[in-house]
Amino acid sequence: MPGKRRSELRQAQPERIEVVSDDKIEALRLIDGRLRWLSAWTIHNANHLRDSTDGLKVGGHQASCASMTALMAALYFHALGPNDKVAVKPHAGPVLHAIHYLLGSQSREQLENFRGFGGAQSYPSRTKDVIPVDFSTGSVGLGVAITAFASLVQDYLVAHGMMDAADTGRMVALMGDAELDEGNIYECLIEAYKHDIRNCWWIVDYNRQSLDATTAERMFCRFDEIFASCGWRVATLKYGKLMEAAFAEPGGTELKAWIDDAGNADYAALTYQGGAAWRVRLSADIGDAIAPLLAARDDDALAALMTNLAGHDMASLIEAFDAAQDDVPTLFIAYTIKGHGLPFAGHKDNHSGLMNPAQIASLRDAMGIADGQEWEALAGLGDNARTGVQALLDGCLIAKAKRPRPWGGIDVPAVASPAGDEQSTQAAFGKILLDISRAGGPLADRIVTTSPDVTVSTNLGAWVNQRGLFRRSELADVFAAAKIPSPQKWAARPAGQHIELGIAENNLFLMLAALGLAGDLFGLRLMPIGTLYDPFIARGLDALNYACYQDARFMLVATPSGVTLGPEGGAHQSINPPLIAMGQPGLRHYEPAFVDELAVMMEEGFRLMQAEDGESVYLRLTTRSIAQPERSDDGWKAGALAGGYWLREPGPDTKAALIFSGAIAPEALAAWESITDDLPGIGLLNVTSPDLLHRGWSNGLASHVTRLLAALDRDATLVTMLDGSPAALSWLGSVRGHRVSPLGLDRFGQTGSLEQLYAHYRIDEEAVLDAVAGLHL
Ligand SMILES: Cc1ncc(C[n+]2csc(CCOP(=O)(O)OP(=O)(O)O)c2C)c(N)n1
Ligand SMILES: [Mg+2]
C-alpha cells in the first residue's frame, strides 16, 4: 500500500553482525587468493595440459573469475547462512567449483575434467554438476531474475504455513555488470516491486567490462536510481581501505576526484599498463598536488592503491554485507577490475583471455606454490595461515551435498472429464481446475496458478475465485466491497493460490521456473500451472528453455491457439508452438481435441511433474466449442497419453489415412465421413502429441507411432492436418515410407469466421478431399 514503510512488514532476521577480527580478514584474503589460483589453474589445465583429441579450443574465463574471487570469498566464508541460495555469474563457475574443492565437496578429478565430458560444467548446472548448484546460469540475466522469483516462492511457502519463517534464507545473485543490459532484469524488477519481495541480494561485479569492450560510463548512477525507485537499497562499494586512507593524505581529495571522473576505458587501460603509467598520468592530470602521494609509493604500491577498489577489498566487502542484515532487497554495486591480479588485468580483450604457460608459472611462483603442488588445496600457505583458513572452511555454512529431490508424494486423484455434448478444451480446463479446488485435498492445496494478465481470458477465473490471489498482506477487493457486480472476486490474502503477474511472459516462465524448483530449493514441491496465449510463448522462449534446462516442473497451459482464434486475427494466432515444443527438451506437448483427453492429460501431467523420470507439460488448447465423441470404452486413453490413437480404425488393406491434431477435429471427421465411401476402411488418426510421437520414432523403430502406422498398407497415403505449422505432422510420412500431403498454416493468420479461415488456409474438409485426390491421382 502506498506510503507503508517496508520495515513494518519485515520479519526478524537472525543476527549475523559480529566484530570481524583482522585475523579473519587476513584468512579471507588468503581464501580469495586460493580461489583466484584454483579457478585460473582449472582453466589452464583444461586448455594447456589436458590432452585434446579434437583440437577444439576448450575455453574458460580466468579474468571474469579473478574479478570476483574476493566477493565470493567474503560471501561464502562470511556472509552466507545455511538457507541462502546463490545464482553464480555463469563464467565464474570455476570459482564455485574451487570453493567446493576447498570445502572437500568437489574432487580434483572433476576439476581436471572441467569442460570435459562428465566433468565440472562450464557454467554452474543444477542438474549436471556434482556439487550443489542452487540455480543454473548461462544465459545472462536469467539467473539473476530467478532469485527474485525464488524469494517470492519462499514467501509463498511461509505464508501458507508450509515453511517456518526461521528456515528462510536470502536469495543471492552474483552478476556481471553487462548483465544489467538484459531487459529481463527490469521486467523482473517491476514485478518484484509489485509483490514486495524481500530477502534478495544482487551483487554486481562492476568491472565495467563486457565481452567485447569497456562499458559506457553514461550509465554511472543510472542503475542506482532505477533500483532505488523500485524499492531496493543500493549499496555502492567503490573505494577500498587503501584508497580511503590515501584520500586523507595531502593530494587525496584530488585523487578521489580524479578517480570519480575517470572514464571506464582509461581506468582499465591504466590498470593494464601498471604503476609507471599511473604515475605519469596522475602527475599530468593532477599536477603538484598529487606529488607527495606519488612520492611516497613505488610503482607496485601505486598500482596496488589504484586497483584497491572495494570489490577486491575484504574489509570493505565484509562491512557492506554486515550492514545489510535486514530483509530489504539490496543491490550491491561492487567496483572491481576484470582480471584482477592477473597479467591481463584491465585489458579490454581479456574476457576469454588465457594466461600462457609462462604467465601461469610466474603467478604460481608469486603465490608461493611449489612446482607440482598446483592442485594442493592450501598450497603456498604457511602453518599459521592454514589454521585461520581451515577455521573458515570448517565454519562455512553452505550445503556441501545436493539436496535429494522430492519425487512423488502428492496423491493425484482421477481427474474427471467435464460433462457436456459441446465443449472447448479451454473452458474444460477451467472447469477441471474448479472441480479440483472444490474436491480439495493435497493436490488442490499444492497447485499454484500464475498468469501474465490473462487469468480471466484463459479461464482461470473460477479457480481464483475459489482459492484467492496470493499477497503477503491482505488486499481487499474494492469492487466487491462496493457491491459492484463482477464474476471475478479479486481479494488477495496470504493463503491465496494464484500469483497474478503483469504482462511479461518472460516473467511467467521465470516464475514457473522458481515455483517448479520449490522442492529442490526449499524441500517442498509445488504444482505450478501457468497460463498464457499460445503465440506469446515465443516472448519468453529463453526463459522457458532456462526453466526446462534446470528441470523445473510445471504445467503450461497455452490458450487460445492457431487460426481457430478467428476474429482475433493474425497478431494473436499461433503457428509454430508445436514445433517449438518438439524442439524443447524437458517439455511434453499435448494437444487434446476433446475434453476427456484433456482430463487424462492433466492427470498425467500432475504425475509427470513429480516423477523422477517426468518432465513439464505443455497443453495447447482452444476456445472452439466442438461436439464431444461418444466413447464405448477407455481403450483410447493409453494411446492419447502416448501421442495418438485411431479415432476411426483403418480397415484391412486400406489405402489412406487422415491424421489430425486438436481443434480441427470436426473438419477431419467430416472429411473422413465424405471419403469413407470412396476409400472404405480409411483410418482417422488423432495425434495428441506430435512431440511424443516424434521422440519415440527418433529413439528407435519399435515406437508407438511405428505401431500405429503399421496398421496401414505400405503404399497407403497420408493427409496430415493441424491448426499450426504443417511440419509438426508431415514427418509422419517418413515413419514407414508413406506418401504424405501435409495441411496446416505456413502464412500469418488473419481475421475471419472459422469457415472462411479454414478454407483460406486449406485446413477444411474440401482441402482434405483435394489432398486425398491429389495423392490418389
Ligand atoms: C543471453 C546471453 N547473451 C550472450 C552471452 C555471451 N556472454 C557471456 S558473458 C558476456 C559478457 C559478460 O560481461 P559481464 O556481465 O560484465 O561479465 P564479466 O565477465 O565482465 O564479469 C557475454 C556477452 C550469454 N552468456 N548470454
Ligand atoms: Mg563486466
Side-chain angles (χ1 to χ4, degrees):
M1 59 210 72
K4 179 148 187 178
R5 284 287 305 122
R6 172 176 289 275
S7 55
E8 292 170 44
L9 306 171
R10 243 177 246 157
Q11 299 210 337
Q13 284 286 305
E15 190 65 58
R16 283 199 206 128
I17 299 181
E18 54 179 296
V19 177
V20 180
S21 67
D22 289 348
D23 286 349
K24 179 170 179 185
I25 291 187
E26 184 49 29
L28 285 166
R29 278 195 198 112
L30 293 171
I31 291 183
D32 168 16
R34 298 309 305 142
L35 298 180
R36 185 167 319 217
W37 168 256
L38 284 168
S39 54
W41 181 250
T42 300
I43 297 167
H44 180 78
N45 177 74
N47 285 276
H48 291 278
L49 303 180
R50 197 167 68 211
D51 286 344
S52 162
T53 50
D54 55 13
L56 278 185
K57 177 191 153 191
V58 179
H61 303 86
Q62 290 172 330
S64 304
C65 289
S67 194
M68 64 180 351
T69 49
L71 267 169
M72 288 178 74
L75 193 67
Y76 280 81
F77 298 97
H78 174 73
L80 286 186
N83 301 319
D84 297 346
K85 310 276 180 261
V86 190
V88 176
K89 181 181 81 170
H91 33 304
V95 184
L96 181 65
H97 289 289
I99 287 172
H100 280 278
Y101 188 60
L102 293 182
L103 291 172
S105 37
Q106 176 58 293
S107 67
R108 173 169 164 181
E109 191 189 7
Q110 278 280 314
L111 295 193
E112 284 180 324
N113 200 11
F114 171 62
R115 291 188 169 224
F117 190 67
Q121 296 296 295
S122 323
Y123 308 115
S125 165
R126 275 181 25 74
T127 53
K128 289 182 231 138
D129 273 317
V130 298
I131 57 169
V133 170
D134 301 323
F135 304 97
S136 299
T137 52
S139 178
V140 300
L142 298 179
V144 179
I146 195 173
T147 58
F149 291 102
S151 76
L152 183 56
V153 173
Q154 180 173 261
D155 277 339
Y156 181 96
L157 292 170
V158 172
H160 284 77
M162 292 186 226
M163 188 174 170
D164 197 327
D167 295 332
T168 57
R170 204 171 260 133
M171 304 297 121
V172 182
L174 290 167
M175 60 197 287
D177 52 331
E179 293 196 62
L180 286 165
D181 286 332
E182 284 288 1
N184 83 268
I185 299 271
Y186 305 95
E187 288 185 342
C188 153
L189 206 57
I190 292 168
E191 199 59 58
Y193 184 57
K194 290 191 232 165
H195 286 277
D196 195 21
I197 64 125
R198 52 186 178 160
N199 291 315
C200 203
W201 278 5
W202 288 358
I203 306 172
V204 186
D205 173 359
Y206 204 57
N207 58 30
R208 294 167 283 167
Q209 281 185 248
S210 60
L211 187 158
D212 281 337
T214 43
T215 48
E217 38 269 352
R218 275 183 73 89
M219 284 312 291
F220 271 159
C221 305
R222 293 289 92 82
F223 294 124
D224 319 26
E225 291 165 9
I226 293 168
F227 277 77
S229 71
C230 286
W232 286 57
R233 169 176 47 215
V234 179
T236 303
L237 287 64
K238 187 163 182 184
Y239 320 106
K241 297 293 171 194
L242 283 181
M243 279 190 176
E244 281 176 355
F247 296 157
E249 294 175 30
T253 312
E254 290 81 355
L255 176 65
K256 182 167 185 287
W258 187 93
I259 291 174
D260 288 345
D261 289 347
N264 290 348
D266 257 358
Y267 212 95
L270 287 164
T271 299
Y272 177 69
Q273 291 167 302
W278 280 115
R279 189 176 303 277
V280 171
R281 182 62 180 275
L282 292 173
S283 283
D285 286 2
I286 305 176
D288 290 348
I290 192 95
L293 200 148
L294 295 179
R297 289 166 176 86
D298 64 13
D299 284 351
D300 286 348
L302 183 57
L305 171 66
M306 296 307 289
T307 54
N308 176 241
L309 297 171
H312 300 303
D313 189 290
M314 203 52 77
S316 310
L317 287 165
I318 297 293
E319 233 172 66
F321 292 153
D322 283 355
Q325 291 302 317
D326 51 22
D327 64 1
V328 177
T330 302
L331 179 78
F332 297 91
I333 301 182
Y335 278 69
T336 54
I337 304 266
K338 191 152 169 173
H340 185 60
L342 307 185
F344 40 55
H347 195 293
K348 70 178 178 61
D349 303 333
N350 66 9
H351 184 76
S352 304
L354 296 174
M355 280 179 273
N356 62 32
Q359 289 172 322
I360 197 109
S362 63
L363 180 69
R364 183 192 60 209
D365 294 346
M367 294 191 122
I369 301 166
D371 197 0
Q373 297 295 299
E374 292 87 352
W375 288 114
E376 184 63 34
L378 301 185
L381 305 186
D383 286 347
N384 281 349
R386 276 174 189 245
T387 313
V389 166
Q390 194 58 52
L392 286 186
L393 300 183
D394 295 342
C396 177
L397 297 171
I398 64 159
K400 294 168 193 79
K402 287 187 159 193
R403 180 200 283 272
R405 304 193 73 183
W407 301 124
I410 302 169
D411 267 356
V412 179
V415 172
S417 171
D421 295 342
E422 290 240 337
Q423 295 190 69
S424 76
T425 49
Q426 177 175 314
F429 162 69
K431 285 185 200 152
I432 289 172
L433 265 190
L434 181 61
D435 287 347
I436 291 175
S437 174
R438 284 191 176 130
L443 176 64
D445 292 343
R446 291 292 177 109
I447 287 176
V448 188
T449 54
T450 181
S451 184
D453 201 25
V454 290
T455 299
V456 176
S457 48
T458 54
N459 278 58
L460 273 179
W463 158 269
V464 178
N465 285 347
Q466 280 256 318
R467 294 275 161 169
L469 286 180
F470 168 69
R471 285 275 163 179
R472 261 197 300 125
S473 40
E474 305 263 342
L475 207 64
D477 180 341
V478 172
F479 279 73
K483 303 211 164 22
I484 300 171
S486 162
Q488 320 301 339
K489 295 167 191 68
W490 287 86
R493 54 183 192 274
Q497 285 180 248
H498 177 72
I499 302 180
E500 178 71 2
L501 301 173
I503 325 171
E505 287 71 17
N506 212 71
N507 279 340
L508 169 75
F509 291 117
L510 287 168
M511 182 80 254
L512 287 174
L515 287 166
L517 290 178
D520 304 83
L521 295 171
F522 308 111
L524 292 151
R525 185 173 288 287
L526 293 172
M527 300 293 257
I529 302 179
T531 68
L532 86 172
Y533 295 175
D534 196 50
F536 303 132
I537 287 179
R539 183 64 85 96
L541 263 193
D542 196 26
L544 168 63
N545 183 57
Y546 179 65
C548 294
Y549 180 69
Q550 305 197 68
D551 203 16
R553 299 289 178 82
F554 51 88
M555 185 178 282
L556 179 66
V557 179
T559 182
S561 57
V563 291
T564 302
L565 199 47
E568 279 284 325
H572 277 49
Q573 294 162 348
S574 64
I575 295 175
N576 64 3
L579 293 181
I580 291 172
M582 275 171 109
Q584 180 59 61
L587 186 70
R588 179 179 298 192
H589 169 204
Y590 278 128
E591 182 137 353
F594 306 112
V595 304
D596 55 359
E597 293 169 4
L598 173 67
V600 298
M601 288 165 185
M602 287 181 70
E603 191 179 316
E604 180 74 354
F606 291 131
R607 267 187 225 109
L608 285 169
M609 285 157 73
Q610 48 173 337
E612 191 163 357
D613 57 353
E615 58 188 325
S616 291
V617 179
Y618 154 49
L619 302 171
R620 187 171 188 250
L621 308 185
T622 173
T623 45
R624 184 186 191 195
S625 205
I626 63 172
Q628 299 298 306
E630 276 179 27
R631 310 278 196 186
S632 49
D633 57 42
D634 283 347
W636 58 274
K637 282 188 180 172
L641 291 180
Y645 64 96
W646 288 107
L647 192 59
R648 300 284 181 268
E649 290 281 348
D653 307 325
T654 184
K655 292 283 177 259
L658 297 184
I659 301 180
F660 78 98
S661 278
I664 49 172
E667 284 63 35
L669 275 161
W672 182 87
E673 294 281 353
S674 316
I675 302 170
T676 197
D677 284 344
D678 292 335
L679 287 173
I682 182 173
L684 182 61
L685 182 65
N686 178 1
V687 172
T688 50
S689 175
D691 173 32
L692 267 190
L693 291 189
H694 191 272
R695 275 196 236 175
W697 178 52
S698 49
N699 282 335
L701 291 176
S703 67
H704 182 57
V705 69
T706 323
R707 282 190 293 276
L708 284 171
L709 295 182
L712 301 175
D713 251 23
R714 281 277 173 196
D715 56 354
T717 60
L718 312 179
V719 174
T720 62
M721 58 189 297
L722 85 162
D723 188 357
S725 176
L729 294 179
S730 61
W731 60 272
L732 286 168
S734 299
V735 175
R736 303 197 77 238
H738 294 123
R739 281 206 303 141
V740 61
S741 178
L743 305 180
L745 313 179
D746 50 15
R747 285 165 295 147
F748 287 116
Q750 52 185 304
T751 48
S753 69
L754 282 189
E755 206 178 326
Q756 290 165 325
L757 293 178
Y758 288 166
H760 182 74
Y761 291 101
R762 308 290 295 152
I763 45 175
D764 63 351
E765 181 184 342
E766 194 184 310
V768 177
L769 300 183
D770 289 348
V772 172
L775 286 166
H776 285 266
L777 279 180

